[in-house]
Amino acid sequence: MDKVDPNDPDRTDILLMVHRFELAGVEIDERAVEIAAKYMRWERARRAEQSAAQTAELERQRAMPDTRECWVYFIRIGQLVKIGMTTNLARRFTSLRPNEVLAIQPGGLDDETALHSQFASMRAGGEYFHPGPALQDHIRKLRDELGSPKWTKSIVPDGQNWFDA
């Protein structure tokens, strides 16, 4: 330990490397400490470069417009309506296992948030809502405008259909 400068910012990493050298049977002398220090400084610089590259890539991705397809969905689970958003309907519905897919519209997080606010008085909890008249009217309008969803995969039938398919 006395061979490594106590003020060296890489001291802990250098000491760990020297310890690994000892475990591997390397004689610890000034040259071994010098090699450990040089390696650990190189490793810190490499990590800093990787971190900078990752940060630059994240910033580049954030600056790009999101071109993924996003969907806002209205599904029935039991007696409640879930209003959610996804980029992958099949995966989302497989995990949720709805009783009925009521409506699907193009849209993203802003649209979902606006709908949650619009129907806040009917909120049962989280993204689940009681099917009040305003929400049912909204779903009917979507179905008139966009058509009824023809989703049959991942449905768990319960003998109820709130809207004729």
Side-chain angles (χ1 to χ4, degrees):
M1 288 182 68
D2 58 334
K3 296 177 182 180
V4 180
D5 180 359
N7 297 318
D8 192 318
D10 295 316
R11 179 178 167 80
T12 302
D13 291 330
I14 293 168
L15 290 173
L16 286 170
M17 181 60 70
V18 168
H19 180 66
R20 289 185 189 124
F21 285 175
E22 285 177 318
L23 293 173
V26 174
E27 181 183 332
I28 305 305
D29 57 10
E30 294 294 325
R31 181 73 179 135
V33 173
E34 180 185 324
I35 291 169
K38 187 172 185 175
Y39 176 80
M40 293 317 299
R41 287 187 184 96
W42 172 83
E43 181 67 24
R44 180 169 37 99
R46 185 183 68 79
R47 280 182 276 175
E49 286 175 12
Q50 284 179 334
S51 178
Q54 288 171 344
T55 300
E57 176 62 17
L58 283 172
E59 288 174 7
R60 185 187 69 76
Q61 288 177 1
R62 285 186 188 127
M64 290 176 55
D66 191 355
T67 56
R68 298 176 301 172
E69 281 188 336
C70 291
W71 304 98
V72 174
Y73 58 84
F74 299 77
I75 59 174
R76 182 175 62 79
I77 299 178
Q79 296 299 311
L80 297 176
V81 175
K82 180 177 187 332
I83 302 173
M85 190 275 308
T86 186
T87 58
N88 187 325
L89 290 167
R91 182 175 41 203
R92 190 67 181 131
F93 291 167
T94 297
S95 69
L96 291 172
R97 305 285 299 182
N99 298 117
E100 188 176 1
V101 177
L102 304 171
I104 301 170
Q105 71 179 53
L109 185 58
D110 291 342
D111 301 300
E112 177 197 31
T113 301
L115 288 162
H116 287 183
S117 294
Q118 180 179 347
F119 300 113
S121 65
M122 294 177 240
R123 188 181 306 269
E127 296 184 333
Y128 291 85
F129 297 82
H130 296 285
L135 180 53
Q136 290 181 24
D137 287 345
H138 182 82
I139 293 169
R140 276 191 195 91
K141 286 177 188 170
L142 282 175
R143 291 168 69 96
D144 289 345
E145 181 183 329
L146 303 172
S148 65
K150 304 296 184 229
W151 196 274
T152 56
K153 299 178 283 186
S154 49
I155 297 292
V156 180
D158 64 354
Q160 299 179 41
N161 287 317
W162 286 2
F163 298 94
D164 293 328

